[in-house]
């Protein structure tokens, strides 16, 4: 095994573990920090150490970060074998709509409920939502909840079989569009230019729906971390996770700049007066 394959899981000792009930559905949510709430959703295959690194950056920027456990083993390093099994289960789960024609993933209703609860608890003008990969588009769908005012859509991969799909029903797409345009929201989004899971066709579909409210930013694939965890190296197999697995934590690097832009976006949107 290479050194990358032998890295340790994250014990998550700086997060409190909560059981959150939304309409009778209970899920684990890991919470840390203070200030306005930001929901950081996991990417496939789960709440990895890289997802937690991003969550800690958000926390340290002055927010109460909420990381819901949606699939996989919390804190686990993304290995090939375990990651493939998690992905397989998620693709057939009733909570997700991984393929075209399925409409909006039902789990997003639970996530909107989490955002409402987090806003009531943490205060501030609203809630931020960061989606990643499998959950990338969920940050946009969550904008049907009035509390969500800072959606960040990172390399959305669903639906897996339609590179121009949005992973939401037509009715939900209209609801999101109308709210975004009516309230002057901005949807911040990132992808690598050679990502085969999130291509330019997906971003074009977002822009067709939202117009100038969609701020889609594209990084050169050559800037991606060349030594990501095994799941991303062997299964994902392409530059993909801009601010997690494929981030290069160096001053001036494009992926670090993307992280800083996301933190600045959250600060600008969530540090104002209560709406």
């Amino acid at each position: 095994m290479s050194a990358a394959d032998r890295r340790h899981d994250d014990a998550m000792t700086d997060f409190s573990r909560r059981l959150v009930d939304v309409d009778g559905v209970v899920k684990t949510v890991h919470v840390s920090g203070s200030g306005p709430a930001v929901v950081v959703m996991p990417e496939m295959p789960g709440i990895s150490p890289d997802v937690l690194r991003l969550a800690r950056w958000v926390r340290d920027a002055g927010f109460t970060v909420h990381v819901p456990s949606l699939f996989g083993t919390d804190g686990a390093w993304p290995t090939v074998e375990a990651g493939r099994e998690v992905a397989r289960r998620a693709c057939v789960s009733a909570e997700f709509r991984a393929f075209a024609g399925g409409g909006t993933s039902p789990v997003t209703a639970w996530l909107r409920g989490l955002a409402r609860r987090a806003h009531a608890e943490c205060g501030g003008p609203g809630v931020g939502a960061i989606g990643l990969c499998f959950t990338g588009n969920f940050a946009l769908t969550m904008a049907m909840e009035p509390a969500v005012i800072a959606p960040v859509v990172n390399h959305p991969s669903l639906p897996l079989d339609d590179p121009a799909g949005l992973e939401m029903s037509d009715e939900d797409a209209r609801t999101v569009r109308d709210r975004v345009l009516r309230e002057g929201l901005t949807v911040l989004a990132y992808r690598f230019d050679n990502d085969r899971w999130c291509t330019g066709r997906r971003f074009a579909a977002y822009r067709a729906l939202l117009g100038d409210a969609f701020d889609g930013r594209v990084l050169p694939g050559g800037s991606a971390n060349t030594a990501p965890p095994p799941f991303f190296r062997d299964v994902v197999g392409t530059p993909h996770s801009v601010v997690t697995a494929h981030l290069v934590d160096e001053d001036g690097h494009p992926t670090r700049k993307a992280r800083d832009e996301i933190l600045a976006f959250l600060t600008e949107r969530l540090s104002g007066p209560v709406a």
Side-chain angles (χ1 to χ4, degrees):
M1 250 185 215
S2 69
D5 293 351
R6 292 195 300 268
R7 296 184 190 176
H8 296 296
D9 294 347
D10 191 316
M12 305 179 68
T13 55
D14 51 336
F15 288 80
S16 64
R17 181 179 180 273
R18 301 182 184 178
L19 295 178
V20 177
D21 184 329
V22 176
D23 297 330
V25 177
V26 179
K27 293 185 181 296
T28 297
V29 180
H30 303 279
V31 182
S32 187
S34 61
V38 177
V39 178
V40 177
M41 290 164 274
E43 64 186 351
M44 191 59 61
I47 303 175
S48 69
D50 286 326
V51 170
L52 291 167
R53 178 179 61 174
L54 173 63
R56 290 181 177 109
W57 280 329
V58 173
R59 175 196 66 193
D60 294 346
F63 302 103
T64 306
V65 67
H66 294 66
V67 188
S69 180
L70 303 180
F71 40 75
T73 301
D74 299 347
W77 187 249
T79 64
V80 172
E81 295 78 10
R84 281 181 171 149
E85 178 58 22
V86 171
R88 186 196 67 77
R89 290 198 303 268
C91 284
V92 299
S93 168
E95 288 196 301
F96 305 103
R97 297 290 185 262
F99 301 103
T104 305
S105 287
V107 73
T108 57
W110 188 92
L111 290 164
R112 293 195 298 272
L114 172 63
R116 284 193 299 275
R117 292 171 63 112
H119 186 216
E121 177 182 329
C122 299
V127 175
I130 300 178
L132 301 163
C133 177
F134 204 81
T135 66
N137 185 65
F138 296 177
L140 179 59
T141 311
M142 286 175 69
M144 290 194 294
E145 162 55 44
V148 176
I149 62 173
V152 183
V153 177
N154 286 290
H155 46 91
S157 60
L158 301 186
L160 296 172
D161 57 343
D162 182 3
L166 294 180
E167 202 276 331
M168 62 173 69
S169 69
D170 291 342
E171 180 181 0
D172 287 350
R174 288 191 295 269
T175 299
V176 169
R177 178 198 63 202
D178 292 348
R179 189 206 167 200
V180 165
L181 299 182
R182 181 178 64 250
E183 299 185 19
L185 301 184
T186 296
V187 178
L188 185 60
Y190 289 88
R191 58 176 289 268
F192 285 113
D193 60 8
N194 59 345
D195 184 353
R196 67 186 178 94
W197 300 101
C198 180
T199 70
R201 292 178 62 191
R202 180 106 60 217
F203 270 30
Y206 283 113
R207 180 163 286 279
L209 177 68
L210 301 173
D212 290 342
F214 179 70
D215 184 359
R217 305 183 183 186
V218 183
L219 278 63
S223 66
N225 175 19
T226 58
F231 177 81
F232 293 88
R233 181 192 66 210
D234 298 343
V235 179
V236 176
T238 181
H240 182 59
S241 299
V242 174
V243 290
T244 50
H246 287 104
L247 180 139
V248 178
D249 192 12
E250 296 176 355
D251 288 341
H253 194 274
T255 57
R256 257 271 289 267
K257 181 181 177 185
R259 181 210 67 178
D260 292 345
E261 290 168 353
I262 290 171
L263 297 179
F265 174 74
L266 294 172
T267 299
E268 178 185 6
R269 292 294 301 170
L270 302 179
S271 297
V274 175

